[in-house]
Amino acid sequence: MKKDSLCCVGHITKDKIITPKDEFSLFGGTAFYFAHAINTLPKCVQFELITKVGDNAKAAVLELKELGIDVQNFDSEHTVYFENRYGNDPNHRTQRVLAKADAFEIEDVINSNADIYHIGSLLNDDFSPEVLQFLAQKGLLSIDAQGFLRRVEDGNVLATNWCSKQELLEITHFLKVNENEMEVLTNYKDPRKAAQLLAKMGVKEVIITLGSYGSLIYTNGTFYDIPAYKPAQLIDVTGCGDTYMAGYLYGRATGKGVQESGELAARMCTRKIEGSGPLTSFEL
Protein backbone atom coordinates (compact mmCIF):
# COMPACT_ATOMS: atom_id res chain seq x y z
CA MET A 1 0.00 0.00 0.00
CA LYS A 2 1.31 3.44 -0.92
CA LYS A 3 -0.62 6.62 -0.23
CA ASP A 4 0.99 10.02 -0.22
CA SER A 5 -1.32 12.48 1.56
CA LEU A 6 -2.50 12.53 5.16
CA CYS A 7 -5.08 14.62 7.00
CA CYS A 8 -5.58 14.63 10.76
CA VAL A 9 -8.90 15.93 12.05
CA GLY A 10 -9.19 16.72 15.75
CA HIS A 11 -9.27 19.34 18.45
CA ILE A 12 -6.21 21.07 19.85
CA THR A 13 -6.56 21.22 23.63
CA LYS A 14 -5.23 23.12 26.56
CA ASP A 15 -3.81 20.56 28.98
CA LYS A 16 -2.82 20.73 32.61
CA ILE A 17 -0.40 17.88 33.35
CA ILE A 18 0.00 16.76 36.96
CA THR A 19 2.61 14.15 37.86
CA PRO A 20 4.10 13.08 41.22
CA LYS A 21 7.10 15.30 40.43
CA ASP A 22 5.70 18.27 38.55
CA GLU A 23 2.71 20.31 37.36
CA PHE A 24 2.62 22.31 34.14
CA SER A 25 0.30 23.47 31.34
CA LEU A 26 0.70 23.12 27.60
CA PHE A 27 -1.24 22.68 24.39
CA GLY A 28 -2.15 19.15 23.47
CA GLY A 29 -4.69 16.84 21.90
CA THR A 30 -4.26 14.29 19.13
CA ALA A 31 -4.23 17.03 16.51
CA PHE A 32 -1.35 18.88 18.18
CA TYR A 33 0.85 15.86 18.98
CA PHE A 34 0.20 14.19 15.62
CA ALA A 35 1.03 17.34 13.64
CA HIS A 36 4.24 18.00 15.53
CA ALA A 37 5.38 14.39 15.22
CA ILE A 38 4.80 14.10 11.49
CA ASN A 39 6.54 17.42 11.00
CA THR A 40 9.79 15.90 12.31
CA LEU A 41 9.89 13.48 9.37
CA PRO A 42 11.08 14.08 5.79
CA LYS A 43 8.43 15.88 3.74
CA CYS A 44 7.55 12.84 1.66
CA VAL A 45 3.89 13.06 2.63
CA GLN A 46 1.53 15.96 2.06
CA PHE A 47 -0.04 16.73 5.45
CA GLU A 48 -3.03 18.82 6.48
CA LEU A 49 -4.48 19.43 9.94
CA ILE A 50 -8.14 20.36 10.46
CA THR A 51 -8.98 21.61 13.94
CA LYS A 52 -11.35 23.77 16.00
CA VAL A 53 -10.24 26.02 18.84
CA GLY A 54 -11.43 29.00 20.82
CA ASP A 55 -9.55 32.28 21.16
CA ASN A 56 -7.40 30.97 24.02
CA ALA A 57 -5.71 28.35 21.79
CA LYS A 58 -5.16 30.28 18.58
CA ALA A 59 -1.52 30.65 19.60
CA ALA A 60 -1.18 26.89 19.12
CA VAL A 61 -2.55 27.18 15.58
CA LEU A 62 -0.10 29.98 14.85
CA GLU A 63 2.75 27.91 16.30
CA LEU A 64 1.98 25.04 13.93
CA LYS A 65 1.60 27.34 10.92
CA GLU A 66 4.95 28.94 11.68
CA LEU A 67 6.49 25.48 11.48
CA GLY A 68 5.17 25.22 7.93
CA ILE A 69 2.24 22.91 8.77
CA ASP A 70 -0.92 23.34 6.70
CA VAL A 71 -3.60 24.05 9.34
CA GLN A 72 -7.28 24.72 8.69
CA ASN A 73 -8.84 26.09 11.87
CA PHE A 74 -12.56 26.59 12.40
CA ASP A 75 -13.65 28.85 15.23
CA SER A 76 -15.21 27.31 18.31
CA GLU A 77 -16.80 29.03 21.28
CA HIS A 78 -14.48 27.09 23.59
CA THR A 79 -11.24 25.13 23.44
CA VAL A 80 -11.14 21.63 24.91
CA TYR A 81 -9.50 21.93 28.35
CA PHE A 82 -8.18 18.72 29.93
CA GLU A 83 -6.65 18.07 33.31
CA ASN A 84 -4.45 14.94 33.14
CA ARG A 85 -3.28 13.54 36.46
CA TYR A 86 -0.67 10.75 36.51
CA GLY A 87 0.29 8.57 39.47
CA ASN A 88 3.43 6.50 39.95
CA ASP A 89 2.35 4.29 37.04
CA PRO A 90 2.85 6.46 33.93
CA ASN A 91 0.51 4.22 31.91
CA HIS A 92 -2.44 5.25 34.10
CA ARG A 93 -4.07 8.67 34.32
CA THR A 94 -7.28 10.28 35.52
CA GLN A 95 -8.85 13.10 33.58
CA ARG A 96 -11.22 16.01 34.00
CA VAL A 97 -12.66 18.19 31.26
CA LEU A 98 -13.17 21.82 32.17
CA ALA A 99 -14.39 22.94 28.71
CA LYS A 100 -15.49 21.35 25.41
CA ALA A 101 -15.11 22.58 21.83
CA ASP A 102 -17.72 22.41 19.08
CA ALA A 103 -18.10 19.09 17.28
CA PHE A 104 -16.82 18.61 13.74
CA GLU A 105 -19.31 18.76 10.88
CA ILE A 106 -19.22 17.73 7.23
CA GLU A 107 -18.84 21.37 6.23
CA ASP A 108 -15.49 21.45 8.07
CA VAL A 109 -13.98 18.68 5.95
CA ILE A 110 -15.84 18.97 2.66
CA ASN A 111 -12.99 20.81 0.89
CA SER A 112 -10.26 18.48 2.13
CA ASN A 113 -8.73 15.87 -0.15
CA ALA A 114 -6.43 13.24 1.36
CA ASP A 115 -5.59 9.60 0.87
CA ILE A 116 -5.72 8.86 4.62
CA TYR A 117 -7.82 10.60 7.28
CA HIS A 118 -6.74 10.15 10.89
CA ILE A 119 -9.55 10.91 13.35
CA GLY A 120 -8.25 12.38 16.60
CA SER A 121 -11.41 12.09 18.66
CA LEU A 122 -11.05 13.13 22.30
CA LEU A 123 -14.67 12.62 23.41
CA ASN A 124 -17.52 10.51 22.10
CA ASP A 125 -19.47 13.41 20.59
CA ASP A 126 -16.60 15.05 18.66
CA PHE A 127 -17.59 13.27 15.44
CA SER A 128 -20.98 12.06 14.25
CA PRO A 129 -21.19 8.79 12.27
CA GLU A 130 -22.22 10.88 9.25
CA VAL A 131 -18.93 12.82 9.28
CA LEU A 132 -16.88 9.62 9.50
CA GLN A 133 -18.87 7.94 6.73
CA PHE A 134 -18.30 11.00 4.57
CA LEU A 135 -14.53 10.90 5.15
CA ALA A 136 -14.38 7.14 4.49
CA GLN A 137 -15.69 7.87 1.00
CA LYS A 138 -12.85 10.34 0.42
CA GLY A 139 -9.91 8.27 1.68
CA LEU A 140 -8.80 5.49 4.05
CA LEU A 141 -10.21 6.04 7.54
CA SER A 142 -7.88 5.83 10.54
CA ILE A 143 -9.45 5.93 14.01
CA ASP A 144 -8.02 6.15 17.50
CA ALA A 145 -10.72 4.48 19.59
CA GLN A 146 -9.86 6.41 22.75
CA GLY A 147 -12.23 9.33 22.33
CA PHE A 148 -15.16 7.21 21.20
CA LEU A 149 -15.05 5.41 24.55
CA ARG A 150 -15.08 8.56 26.71
CA ARG A 151 -17.88 10.88 27.72
CA VAL A 152 -18.01 13.85 30.08
CA GLU A 153 -20.31 14.13 33.08
CA ASP A 154 -19.89 16.99 35.57
CA GLY A 155 -16.36 17.52 34.28
CA ASN A 156 -15.35 13.91 34.85
CA VAL A 157 -14.22 11.70 31.98
CA LEU A 158 -16.16 8.45 32.16
CA ALA A 159 -16.08 5.26 30.14
CA THR A 160 -18.93 4.80 27.69
CA ASN A 161 -20.06 2.38 25.01
CA TRP A 162 -19.26 3.14 21.37
CA CYS A 163 -22.83 3.20 20.14
CA SER A 164 -21.99 3.15 16.42
CA LYS A 165 -19.12 0.69 16.81
CA GLN A 166 -20.23 -1.92 14.31
CA GLU A 167 -21.17 0.38 11.45
CA LEU A 168 -18.01 2.46 11.85
CA LEU A 169 -15.53 -0.40 12.24
CA GLU A 170 -16.82 -1.75 8.94
CA ILE A 171 -15.49 1.35 7.17
CA THR A 172 -12.27 1.70 9.23
CA HIS A 173 -8.97 0.82 7.60
CA PHE A 174 -6.65 1.59 10.55
CA LEU A 175 -7.81 1.22 14.17
CA LYS A 176 -5.57 2.06 17.13
CA VAL A 177 -6.48 0.79 20.60
CA ASN A 178 -4.60 0.19 23.83
CA GLU A 179 -5.01 -2.87 26.02
CA ASN A 180 -7.93 -1.39 27.96
CA GLU A 181 -9.78 -0.17 24.88
CA MET A 182 -9.39 -3.49 23.09
CA GLU A 183 -11.00 -5.26 26.05
CA VAL A 184 -13.92 -2.80 26.09
CA LEU A 185 -14.50 -3.33 22.37
CA THR A 186 -14.05 -7.11 22.27
CA ASN A 187 -14.28 -8.47 25.85
CA TYR A 188 -10.92 -10.17 25.23
CA LYS A 189 -7.83 -9.68 27.40
CA ASP A 190 -5.67 -11.52 24.87
CA PRO A 191 -4.43 -8.98 22.28
CA ARG A 192 -4.29 -11.57 19.51
CA LYS A 193 -7.87 -12.69 20.02
CA ALA A 194 -8.98 -9.07 20.28
CA ALA A 195 -7.19 -8.18 17.05
CA GLN A 196 -8.75 -11.08 15.20
CA LEU A 197 -12.24 -10.11 16.34
CA LEU A 198 -11.74 -6.47 15.36
CA ALA A 199 -10.60 -7.66 11.95
CA LYS A 200 -13.74 -9.78 11.62
CA MET A 201 -15.74 -6.64 12.40
CA GLY A 202 -14.20 -4.99 9.35
CA VAL A 203 -10.95 -3.29 10.39
CA LYS A 204 -8.18 -3.76 7.82
CA GLU A 205 -5.19 -2.94 10.05
CA VAL A 206 -5.54 -3.35 13.82
CA ILE A 207 -2.90 -1.59 15.92
CA ILE A 208 -2.81 -2.49 19.63
CA THR A 209 -0.40 -0.52 21.81
CA LEU A 210 0.75 -2.28 24.96
CA GLY A 211 2.80 0.38 26.74
CA SER A 212 6.26 -0.81 27.78
CA TYR A 213 5.48 -4.22 26.26
CA GLY A 214 5.51 -2.82 22.72
CA SER A 215 2.65 -3.12 20.25
CA LEU A 216 0.88 -5.67 18.10
CA ILE A 217 -0.38 -5.12 14.56
CA TYR A 218 -2.71 -7.50 12.75
CA THR A 219 -3.57 -7.31 9.06
CA ASN A 220 -4.38 -9.77 6.28
CA GLY A 221 -4.27 -12.67 8.74
CA THR A 222 -0.73 -11.90 9.92
CA PHE A 223 0.51 -10.68 13.33
CA TYR A 224 3.43 -8.28 13.63
CA ASP A 225 5.14 -7.93 17.01
CA ILE A 226 6.62 -4.46 17.43
CA PRO A 227 9.18 -4.05 20.23
CA ALA A 228 9.24 -1.18 22.71
CA TYR A 229 12.47 0.79 22.80
CA LYS A 230 13.68 1.76 26.26
CA PRO A 231 13.85 5.53 26.77
CA ALA A 232 16.92 7.20 28.21
CA GLN A 233 14.58 8.80 30.72
CA LEU A 234 10.82 8.76 31.18
CA ILE A 235 9.48 12.30 31.42
CA ASP A 236 5.97 12.57 29.94
CA VAL A 237 3.86 9.93 28.17
CA THR A 238 1.06 12.32 27.16
CA GLY A 239 0.59 12.16 23.39
CA CYS A 240 2.56 8.96 23.03
CA GLY A 241 -0.21 7.16 21.15
CA ASP A 242 -0.70 10.12 18.83
CA THR A 243 3.02 10.20 18.07
CA TYR A 244 2.94 6.46 17.41
CA MET A 245 0.13 6.82 14.87
CA ALA A 246 1.87 9.71 13.12
CA GLY A 247 4.90 7.48 12.60
CA TYR A 248 2.88 4.44 11.59
CA LEU A 249 0.66 6.22 9.08
CA TYR A 250 3.65 8.09 7.65
CA GLY A 251 5.38 4.77 7.14
CA ARG A 252 2.39 3.21 5.44
CA ALA A 253 1.79 6.32 3.33
CA THR A 254 5.36 6.23 2.05
CA GLY A 255 5.18 2.57 1.05
CA LYS A 256 6.86 0.99 4.07
CA GLY A 257 5.70 -2.42 5.25
CA VAL A 258 3.77 -3.04 8.46
CA GLN A 259 6.78 -4.15 10.53
CA GLU A 260 8.98 -1.26 9.40
CA SER A 261 6.18 1.26 9.95
CA GLY A 262 5.49 -0.12 13.41
CA GLU A 263 9.15 0.04 14.41
CA LEU A 264 9.38 3.65 13.16
CA ALA A 265 6.31 4.48 15.23
CA ALA A 266 7.76 2.81 18.33
CA ARG A 267 11.06 4.65 18.04
CA MET A 268 9.27 7.99 17.66
CA CYS A 269 7.14 7.16 20.68
CA THR A 270 10.23 6.47 22.78
CA ARG A 271 11.84 9.74 21.75
CA LYS A 272 8.65 11.62 22.62
CA ILE A 273 8.38 10.32 26.20
CA GLU A 274 11.94 11.44 26.92
CA GLY A 275 10.69 15.04 27.10
CA SER A 276 7.63 17.13 27.90
CA GLY A 277 5.26 18.28 25.20
CA PRO A 278 5.16 17.09 21.59
CA LEU A 279 7.96 15.49 19.62
CA THR A 280 9.96 18.27 17.98
CA SER A 281 13.01 16.45 16.60
CA PHE A 282 13.67 12.94 15.32
CA GLU A 283 16.29 11.23 13.19
CA LEU A 284 15.34 8.32 10.97
Side-chain angles (χ1 to χ4, degrees):
M1 183 191 74
K2 185 178 187 303
K3 300 290 183 179
D4 56 12
S5 61
L6 271 169
C7 177
C8 178
V9 189
H11 293 112
I12 294 175
T13 70
K14 290 201 72 174
D15 290 348
K16 177 186 288 187
I17 310 297
I18 302 172
T19 72
K21 295 182 179 180
D22 203 0
E23 179 176 325
F24 49 92
S25 295
L26 70 171
F27 293 116
T30 292
F32 191 71
Y33 286 102
F34 190 100
H36 267 288
I38 207 163
N39 199 51
T40 67
L41 297 166
K43 304 301 185 284
C44 301
V45 173
Q46 181 179 342
F47 176 68
E48 176 188 29
L49 173 64
I50 297 176
T51 192
K52 280 190 170 184
V53 300
D55 290 340
N56 62 344
K58 288 187 176 177
V61 174
L62 180 61
E63 173 187 324
L64 294 173
K65 287 184 175 181
E66 288 178 342
L67 291 172
I69 298 171
D70 182 3
V71 185
Q72 305 298 320
N73 176 54
F74 294 90
D75 288 339
S76 172
E77 183 177 359
H78 301 289
T79 299
V80 179
Y81 185 24
F82 272 112
E83 179 187 86
N84 296 321
R85 185 181 297 270
Y86 294 90
N88 292 322
D89 178 1
N91 292 317
H92 177 73
R93 70 181 174 189
T94 56
Q95 290 185 308
R96 285 181 53 79
V97 175
L98 307 182
K100 292 177 62 177
D102 299 337
F104 290 94
E105 300 177 355
I106 289 178
E107 289 73 17
D108 302 325
V109 297
I110 198 166
N111 293 321
S112 173
N113 291 290
D115 296 306
I116 300 173
Y117 286 92
H118 183 61
I119 306 304
S121 177
L122 301 172
L123 300 167
N124 69 328
D125 54 0
D126 286 347
F127 294 88
S128 68
E130 290 74 22
V131 171
L132 299 180
Q133 289 163 351
F134 178 78
L135 288 175
Q137 294 173 1
K138 293 166 72 73
L140 300 182
L141 194 63
S142 172
I143 289 181
D144 187 325
Q146 176 179 245
F148 294 94
L149 300 175
R150 301 192 301 195
R151 63 183 175 89
V152 177
E153 185 176 308
D154 296 327
N156 296 307
V157 179
L158 304 176
T160 189
N161 291 325
W162 188 354
C163 297
S164 304
K165 174 178 68 175
Q166 184 57 61
E167 65 180 282
L168 293 179
L169 291 183
E170 289 176 359
I171 60 171
T172 299
H173 189 98
F174 306 94
L175 178 72
K176 198 278 284 185
V177 294
N178 63 23
E179 62 267 43
N180 297 319
E181 294 155 0
M182 75 173 188
E183 186 175 352
V184 170
L185 291 176
T186 67
N187 290 321
Y188 283 127
K189 293 181 179 292
D190 183 334
R192 292 180 178 251
K193 290 182 178 179
Q196 288 175 321
L197 179 55
L198 290 167
K200 287 181 181 178
M201 297 172 76
V203 180
K204 305 301 183 295
E205 297 187 31
V206 180
I207 301 104
I208 301 177
T209 57
L210 302 167
S212 58
Y213 296 102
S215 53
L216 179 73
I217 301 172
Y218 181 70
T219 182
N220 293 324
T222 301
F223 288 104
Y224 297 84
D225 292 296
I226 311 299
Y229 299 94
K230 187 175 181 179
Q233 54 183 344
L234 197 158
I235 301 296
D236 177 20
V237 299
T238 305
C240 190
D242 306 320
T243 301
Y244 184 104
M245 284 307 293
Y248 184 74
L249 293 179
Y250 176 92
R252 299 297 280 139
T254 53
K256 292 180 173 59
V258 173
Q259 186 73 31
E260 186 179 3
S261 298
E263 291 176 2
L264 168 63
R267 289 191 291 113
M268 290 177 67
C269 189
T270 295
R271 184 68 59 232
K272 183 265 157 288
I273 64 179
E274 291 175 340
S276 297
L279 183 68
T280 55
S281 64
F282 181 77
E283 293 184 6
L284 285 176

